[in-house]
Amino acid sequence: MSQLIPMSIALVAGLLMTRVFKKLHLNFPDVTAFLIAGLAIGPYGLGSLHIGGLGFSSLEAVNELSVISSVALGFIAFAIGNEFRLSQLKETGRQAAVIGVLQALVAMVLVDAALLGLHLLMPDVLSAPAAITLGAIATATAPAATLMVVRQYKARGKLTDLLLPIVALDDAVGLVAFAVSFGVATALHSGSVNLLSILVEPLLEIVGSLLLGSLMGLILTLLEKLFFSNSNRLSLTIAFVVMTIALSGMEFRLGPVKLGFSNLLVCMMLGTVFCNLCPRSPDIMERSDRWTVPLYALFFVLSGAELDLSVFSSLAVVGIGVVYILTRSAGKYLGARGSAAMVNCDHNIRKYLGITLLPQAGVALGMSASSMSLGAGDGRLIRNIVLFSVLVYELVGPSLTRWALMKSGDIRPVEPEKQTYARFKSKADC
C-alpha cells in the first residue's frame, strides 16, 4: 500500500506537466513533459525537501516501483512488434529492410568510434564497456514520437510510407545489436573475454527470445478464439504480455553457458506473431494502446526521477553526452542517406529520411536500464547520458520530423488549427 501514494503522485505530476506545457504554448510531445515532471519530483527536485508525499526522496524510493518500468517496457516492445504486419511490408519491404539495418549500424559504428576515442583520452571517466553499450543504444529510434507527428499532421506520401516500417525495423535491429554489444561489454567488464560470452551467449539469447516470443504469440492467438467479448480479449492480451515479461526474466545454465532472454525482444516477437496471425489484432491493439497510456506516463515520469543530476556536475560527462548526440545524429542521417541511395529511393527520401529518425525515447531507456548490470558506476553513467540525450532529442526531434515531412511534400504547409476550422466550417455550412 505504501507504493500507491508515490505512484499516484508521479502520474498526477506527469499529467499536470503536460497542461503546463500547453499553457506555455510549448509544442513538445507528452514524453518530454513526463520526464521533466519526474525530474521535478525526483531526489534532486522536490524530493530533496524530504517532505512526505511531495516527491521521491531517494533513488531507492524510485526503484521500489521498478516493476512498473518492466511492465511498461514489455508493452512498448509489444506495440513495436505490431508494426511488422506483412501485408504492409510487401511494397516497401526490401527498401525498408536495407535502410533500417544500415542506418542503425552506421550510427552504432560512429558512436562506438567516437566514444572509444574518448575512453582512450579519459579512461577514468568513460570505460570501454560503457562506450560499447552506448554505441548499441544509439541504434534505437522512438517510434511513438515519429508516429505521433505522422498522425497529427496526417502525413501521406513516399517518405511516410517508407518511414513507418523503418521505424519498426530500427528497434528490432537495435535490440539485436544491443544483445551482441552488451555481451561484449559484459565480457570486458568481467575481465574474461572469450567467444562463449561474446558470441555464444548473446546468440542463444537472441534465438531463445525469438522462440519464446513466437510460442507465446501462437498460444495467445489460439486462446483469443475462445472469447467473443472484446473486453475479455483485451484482458487476455494484457495477461499474456505480463506473463511474457515474467517468463523473459528466467535464466538457465547449460554447463558453462548461461541462457537468458531479452525482455524487449521476447515481447516484440509476441506482438509480431500476434498481429500477423490473429485477424482481431488491430481492434485489440487499439484498445490496448488506450489502456497503456497511464502506464507509459508512469514509466517516463519514473525515468525522469532517476536522473542523477550530480553526474552532470562534471564537464567531462556533459561532453560525453554532447559527443553521443552529435555522432548518433550524424550516423542516422548519413546511414539513411547512403542506404536510400543504394536502393534507388528518390531525392526527397534520401535528403530528409535521416532527419525523421532522430527521436529517441522508450526503447533506448529500456536498454539503458538493462545496462545497470555492468555495475553502479557504468550503469548510472549510461542511464544518465541516455536520459540527457532523450530530453534533447524529444525537444527537437518531433519538430525536425515535422519539418522534414513538410519539405518532402508529405505534409501540406497548413496549420492543424486551420484544418480543424475548415472542417468545422464545412459541416456548419451543410
Side-chain angles (χ1 to χ4, degrees):
M1 295 293 290
S2 61
Q3 295 180 349
L4 293 179
I5 292 179
M7 185 171 67
S8 302
I9 291 173
L11 182 55
V12 171
L15 295 174
L16 290 178
M17 188 60 71
T18 63
R19 297 302 89 195
V20 172
F21 272 38
K22 188 175 182 63
K23 289 295 183 182
L24 296 176
H25 303 288
L26 299 175
N27 191 23
F28 298 136
D30 286 348
V31 63
T32 306
F34 295 147
L35 286 168
I36 293 177
L39 180 61
I41 65 173
Y44 296 90
L46 294 176
S48 63
L49 300 176
H50 298 284
I51 299 176
L54 193 59
F56 297 99
S57 58
S58 65
L59 290 175
E60 288 72 21
V62 181
N63 292 332
E64 289 180 1
L65 298 176
S66 60
V67 66
I68 299 294
S69 298
S70 298
V71 174
L73 287 172
F75 277 97
I76 289 171
F78 180 67
I80 292 170
N82 272 268
E83 296 298 327
F84 287 95
R85 296 184 180 273
L86 297 179
S87 59
Q88 299 176 357
L89 294 177
K90 290 180 179 179
E91 295 183 4
T92 59
R94 187 181 71 87
Q95 291 180 330
V98 173
I99 298 172
V101 172
L102 291 183
Q103 57 82 25
L105 295 181
V106 170
M108 181 178 70
V109 170
L110 287 185
V111 173
D112 275 341
L115 295 187
L116 286 173
L118 287 180
H119 161 67
L120 296 177
L121 296 175
M122 303 181 297
D124 295 334
V125 177
L126 179 65
S127 68
I132 294 171
T133 302
L134 284 167
I137 294 174
T139 60
T141 298
T146 303
L147 290 174
M148 180 187 67
V149 173
V150 170
R151 292 171 181 172
Q152 179 180 352
Y153 297 98
K154 297 178 172 60
R156 294 181 181 275
K158 293 182 179 180
L159 178 57
T160 303
D161 292 340
L162 192 60
L163 171 62
L164 298 181
I166 287 176
V167 169
L169 180 62
D170 179 273
D171 284 324
V173 175
L175 293 174
V176 174
F178 180 78
V180 176
S181 295
F182 193 62
V184 175
T186 303
L188 292 175
H189 179 76
S190 63
S192 57
V193 180
N194 55 68
L195 291 178
L196 184 67
S197 58
I198 294 177
L199 296 178
V200 177
E201 290 184 355
L203 181 61
L204 289 176
E205 179 177 331
I206 294 169
V207 175
S209 298
L210 294 177
L211 290 176
L212 178 59
S214 299
L215 177 62
M216 297 298 290
L218 179 60
I219 296 174
L220 174 59
T221 302
L222 294 175
L223 290 180
E224 290 284 358
K225 298 177 181 179
L226 301 177
F227 298 91
F228 302 96
S229 164
N230 286 330
S231 298
N232 288 338
R233 289 169 181 160
L234 174 62
S235 299
L236 178 66
T237 302
I238 293 171
F240 247 76
V241 175
V242 174
M243 186 188 305
T244 303
I245 294 168
L247 291 176
S248 65
M250 298 186 303
E251 289 187 354
F252 304 95
R253 278 205 169 272
L254 301 175
V257 179
K258 183 180 73 172
L259 175 61
F261 302 96
S262 166
N263 180 348
L264 297 175
L265 198 54
V266 172
C267 292
M268 187 193 71
M269 198 62 190
L270 168 68
T272 300
V273 172
F274 177 64
C275 79
N276 283 286
L277 295 183
C278 181
R280 305 177 187 89
S281 62
D283 179 65
I284 295 173
M285 281 307 303
E286 183 180 351
R287 293 170 180 269
S288 176
D289 289 342
R290 292 197 295 267
W291 181 86
T292 53
V293 168
L295 185 63
Y296 291 167
L298 270 174
F299 169 70
F300 287 115
V301 172
L302 293 175
S303 295
E306 289 180 347
L307 180 59
D308 187 351
L309 294 185
S310 65
V311 175
F312 297 100
S313 62
S314 168
L315 291 178
V317 174
V318 175
I320 295 171
V322 172
V323 170
Y324 172 84
I325 292 172
L326 293 178
T327 51
R328 177 184 178 272
S329 300
K332 287 288 182 179
Y333 181 79
L334 295 175
R337 181 157 189 160
S339 55
M342 287 176 56
V343 292
N344 299 318
C345 294
D346 65 33
H347 177 71
N348 278 342
I349 292 178
R350 300 181 193 184
K351 188 174 181 180
Y352 297 112
L353 176 60
I355 298 173
T356 66
L357 299 175
L358 295 183
Q360 188 174 49
V363 176
L365 290 170
M367 292 176 178
S368 68
S370 299
S371 68
M372 293 301 293
S373 60
L374 284 178
D378 284 346
R380 186 163 294 175
L381 175 66
I382 293 169
R383 179 75 167 170
N384 283 280
I385 288 175
V386 172
L387 282 168
F388 172 69
S389 71
V390 164
L391 280 170
V392 173
Y393 279 125
E394 289 301 300
L395 287 172
V396 302
S399 298
L400 289 175
T401 298
R402 175 180 178 272
W403 176 83
L405 290 172
M406 289 188 66
K407 285 293 186 179
S408 69
D410 284 24
I411 295 178
R412 293 182 180 180
V414 178
E415 294 298 324
E417 291 81 8
K418 293 182 180 179
Q419 292 176 347
T420 302
Y421 173 75
R423 289 195 298 270
F424 177 80
K425 188 176 184 299
S426 176
K427 291 181 179 179
D429 292 341
C430 294

